[in-house]
Amino acid sequence: MENLGFETRAIHAGQEPDPRTGAVIVPIYQTSTYAQDGVGGTRDGDYEYSRTANPTRTALEEQLASLEGARHGLAFASGMAASDAVLRTVLRPGDHLVLGNDAYGGTFRLIDKVLTTWGVTYDVADLSTVDSVRAAVRPATKVIWCETPSNPLLGIADIPALAGVAHEAGARLVVDNTFATPYLQTPLALGADVVVHSTTKYLGGHSDVVGGAVLTNEDELREQLFFLRNSAGAVPGAFDAWLTLRGIKTLAVRMERHCDNAEEIARALLAHPKVSKVYYPGLPEHPGHEVAAKQMRRFGGMISFRHADGEAAALAVSARTSLFVLAESLGGIESLIEHPGRMTHASVSGSLLQVPDDLLRLSVGIEDPRDLIADLHEALA
Ligand SMILES: *Cc1c(COP(=O)(O)O)cnc(C)c1O
């Protein structure tokens, strides 16, 4: 399976026809428990209780592991549940973490409000500058937590370089690969130790399911994560696992179209007089463009931009689009617009991660790009 192409693995990895019925599509095993042949005599695959394991979830985990080039995949009830499991597995009281100065607000909240009460400390660094990261590392550092492209400013971190800094310090590099997806970037192959996903976004791809995943090549870490997940219980239900599995089958074709549309929209915004700055790593003037071109296949479907007339004007634009729906989240087939400062990133307000108040973020969908550009032009007029 490993030497097959990405699109082939998305459709076949972990998804053999059902051995009993021949069902071509993995069934939704909507069951909490499994009959045993005598005490301790579990049947095929050691299934005994669905918090521990469920065949639909197993299919998703094998599919995800194959796409990220990982030995192990674990699915979780949400992206935050996946991040929480990683943090509580690799960190202990007294440990230190380095976090990017641009990160998903929920990740910052989990670290700043939950992990710190647990005796973990952290420092914030500019992940696009290796020296800034090196300067933030301390003897107690156990994790460098990296988003690239980052949310919402689309900053680019050099994954191999950060893996080098982490490993010199005896720490792990964790990459939140939600924005790029394994179609555009595979961090484990670039030296990262752990990948986390909000599968709610591009992987599910249709804004109809919440989920998360962790991928790693480390056997012992996989056992620890599995133990914590089974102990704490943040598992996705069978139907949610099935929806995610289904969404991922079309990831490659969707991502190509997300990238095509985003490239066109980024250029249209760049040319607009009411737009003072466009953040898109596919633009040659983006400071991370060269690094992105080295480690990514293409540049993704997320764009942020600043309104030349300030916050009130930015808020007005977000209220005036009609195809771009005003909503949090991202990565679905439909285009979304949001104001990070007041929506997804309200929890970083007043911190080192604060975002500009005239910033708007677009999740560019796979609609006709001419309609999307017309919608933005009308809203900006
Ligand atoms: C949405 C998101 C998360 C959190 O995932 P949930 O599925 O909402 O829990 C984490 N990281 C990034 C980059 C995200 O966009």
Side-chain angles (χ1 to χ4, degrees):
M1 192 60 71
E2 306 91 79
N3 44 19
L4 296 174
F6 185 94
E7 292 83 346
T8 311
R9 285 178 284 131
I11 291 165
H12 294 286
Q15 302 165 79
E16 295 297 311
D18 181 59
R20 194 168 72 82
T21 63
V24 166
I25 296 300
V26 173
I28 304 166
Y29 284 91
Q30 194 69 39
T31 186
S32 60
T33 192
Y34 306 83
Q36 303 188 13
D37 297 328
V39 173
T42 53
R43 298 180 188 177
D44 178 37
D46 284 338
Y47 294 105
E48 56 186 29
Y49 187 61
S50 280
R51 170 162 31 77
T52 314
N54 172 285
T56 314
R57 195 201 309 159
T58 304
L60 170 63
E61 293 176 336
E62 289 179 11
Q63 179 198 41
L64 279 166
S66 174
L67 296 183
E68 283 286 0
R71 217 164 27 237
H72 308 294
L74 287 168
F76 284 84
S78 70
M80 290 322 305
S83 299
D84 174 59
V86 170
L87 290 165
R88 286 197 291 140
T89 299
V90 301
L91 294 172
R92 287 291 169 270
D95 288 347
H96 176 258
L97 167 144
V98 175
L99 175 69
N101 61 359
D102 184 41
Y104 179 67
T107 305
F108 174 72
R109 182 174 55 196
L110 176 64
I111 291 167
D112 182 60
K113 296 285 190 295
V114 181
L115 265 285
T116 53
T117 67
W118 223 57
V120 168
T121 57
Y122 74 92
D123 277 294
V124 165
D126 172 4
L127 298 189
S128 66
T129 316
V130 177
D131 288 341
S132 160
V133 179
R134 201 173 269 123
V137 168
R138 299 196 208 152
T141 304
K142 289 291 179 317
V143 170
I144 298 175
W145 191 280
C146 167
E147 283 178 31
T148 181
S150 66
N151 182 3
L153 294 174
L154 287 309
I156 298 295
D158 184 328
I159 295 174
L162 292 197
V165 175
H167 298 159
E168 263 169 47
R172 285 189 177 95
L173 177 66
V174 179
V175 175
D176 180 336
N177 206 28
T178 300
F179 269 35
T181 82
Y183 181 67
L184 299 179
Q185 166 177 286
T186 45
L188 297 177
L190 296 165
D193 302 286
V194 180
V195 165
V196 300
H197 276 288
S198 169
T199 59
T200 312
K201 315 296 167 55
Y202 288 104
L203 292 172
H206 296 74
S207 303
D208 53 11
V209 61
V210 169
V214 180
L215 294 306
T216 184
N217 288 325
E218 293 179 43
D219 299 337
E220 198 184 327
L221 182 60
R222 187 264 173 203
E223 292 313 310
Q224 293 167 340
L225 287 162
F226 184 89
F227 181 83
L228 178 63
R229 187 185 63 176
N230 192 40
S231 304
V235 292
F239 185 51
D240 286 1
W242 187 86
L243 280 172
T244 308
L245 184 68
R246 177 191 224 238
I248 293 172
K249 291 177 210 275
T250 56
L251 179 65
V253 287
R254 285 187 286 109
M255 287 315 290
E256 287 291 343
R257 182 58 178 261
H258 283 296
C259 292
D260 288 344
N261 284 3
E263 283 170 18
E264 275 196 51
I265 288 171
R267 280 195 297 271
L269 288 171
L270 205 54
H272 199 285
K274 289 287 178 203
V275 173
S276 59
K277 191 168 168 71
V278 179
Y279 302 84
Y280 184 64
L283 294 171
E285 50 269 62
H286 186 288
H289 178 68
E290 264 177 53
V291 173
K294 255 196 301 194
Q295 67 191 19
M296 297 176 76
R297 188 197 296 250
R298 294 186 69 184
F299 305 100
M302 298 300 298
I303 301 173
S304 290
F305 67 97
R306 296 176 71 168
H307 198 294
D309 299 340
E311 181 178 30
L315 288 168
V317 168
S318 72
R320 274 207 300 264
T321 54
S322 56
L323 289 175
F324 280 87
V325 176
L326 178 61
E328 299 197 356
S329 199
L330 61 109
I333 50 337
E334 75 294 326
S335 292
L336 301 179
I337 187 167
E338 67 120 1
H339 184 269
R342 297 212 184 189
M343 294 171 66
T344 50
H345 288 68
S347 63
V348 302
S349 174
S351 78
L352 288 166
L353 284 76
Q354 181 151 355
V355 296
D357 63 5
D358 54 8
L359 189 77
L360 290 167
R361 190 189 75 181
L362 303 178
S363 173
V364 178
I366 63 171
E367 301 97 330
D368 186 327
R370 289 167 302 186
D371 297 333
L372 297 178
I373 289 170
D375 191 34
L376 289 171
H377 278 161
E378 238 166 82
L380 280 161

